[in-house]
Amino acid sequence: MGEKKTNKPQPPLSGFGADDFEIVEKKEVFRGYFRMDHYRLRHKLHAGGWSREFTRELFERGNACAVLPYDPRRDTVVLIEQFRIGAYAANRHPWLLEVIAGIIEEGETPEQVAERETLEECGCKITDLAPISDYLASAGGTSECTTLFCGRVDSDQADGIHGCKDEDEDIRVVVLPFDEAYGLVKSGVIANAAAVVSIFWLALNRAEIRQKWT
């Protein structure tokens, strides 16, 4: 029997469920800092019947948490800038403006990661957290799910260059007025998913967040 499972209830868009696909085989093909799994599977088709058996490789790196630090009194956001090899390989500028992010380790909650990483990467202490979304980073090739927050901070604490030398991190803190950060998203300068989603979310909820947090 193949493996059949679903992690969370899904909306009944197509009517498909756990009995409408089959994992025929799953095997680990690489393990290093990350892991790669190989799947052989089949599933029902929208037009009726079943697909043939096909294969997919899945990149496994765990789940992540990301947080947009926001200072409601000064109406500023705290971003970080660092070199990203993926941006270079995509023919993009390799130094990206990003939000704070980290991998959720075993036994940690997303909230704990948000607080830890914000202190480590920009020197700010989070005093409130507002949930934004849980989203799949790239469901065609990885199971990674990112839990995204907006975190209340005092941006006067944000400064300097941070990062773990053992992991070759070189992280520069950038504090921007919200309107400027929003403009960078609209112009495409800020182009990574977590930053784009969280800044657009803040644009929609900014008045409410400022009222609540001040």
Side-chain angles (χ1 to χ4, degrees), residues 63 65 67 100-106 108-126 129 167:
N63 293 323
C65 170
V67 56
I100 306 295
I103 298 296
I104 303 171
E105 303 293 346
E106 186 175 352
E108 283 189 310
T109 66
E111 291 81 2
Q112 288 171 332
V113 177
E115 293 172 0
R116 168 171 54 80
E117 292 292 329
T118 301
L119 190 60
E120 289 180 2
E121 294 192 356
C122 73
C124 290
K125 182 178 180 181
I126 288 177
L129 275 175
E167 297 178 9

Side-chain angles (χ1 to χ4, degrees), residues 156-172:
D156 275 351
Q157 300 173 357
D159 192 17
I161 298 171
H162 301 259
C164 178
K165 292 188 181 298
D166 291 342
E167 297 178 9
D168 300 298
E169 292 179 331
D170 181 46
I171 299 170
R172 184 174 75 95

Side-chain angles (χ1 to χ4, degrees), residues 70-71 73-74 78 124-125 152-158:
Y70 177 60
D71 185 334
R73 289 196 304 116
R74 297 173 179 82
V78 181
C124 290
K125 182 178 180 181
R152 179 184 179 184
V153 298
D154 178 355
S155 60
D156 275 351
Q157 300 173 357

Side-chain angles (χ1 to χ4, degrees), residues 12 39 42 80 113 119 130 137 146 149-151 160 176 182 193 196 210 214:
Y39 286 83
R42 67 186 191 125
I80 56 173
V113 177
L119 190 60
T146 299
F149 296 102
C150 181
L176 295 176
Y182 187 49
V196 171
R210 294 193 77 186
T214 56

Side-chain angles (χ1 to χ4, degrees), residues 66-68 98-101 132 135 146 148 190-200:
V67 56
L68 172 65
E98 303 177 334
V99 295
I100 306 295
I132 295 177
Y135 67 88
T146 299
L148 189 56
I190 295 177
N192 65 91
V196 171
V197 171
S198 58
I199 291 173
F200 272 134

Side-chain angles (χ1 to χ4, degrees), residues 28 44 57 89 98 125 138 142 150 157 175 185 206:
E28 182 179 288
K44 283 188 178 178
E57 282 72 48
E98 303 177 334
K125 182 178 180 181
S138 183
T142 179
C150 181
Q157 300 173 357
V175 180
V185 171
R206 185 158 145 244

Side-chain angles (χ1 to χ4, degrees), residues 10-30:
Q10 298 296 315
L13 300 178
S14 64
F16 289 158
D19 292 329
D20 299 317
F21 69 93
E22 181 182 8
I23 305 300
V24 179
E25 181 186 43
K26 173 188 173 183
K27 59 182 179 181
E28 182 179 288
V29 294
F30 173 80

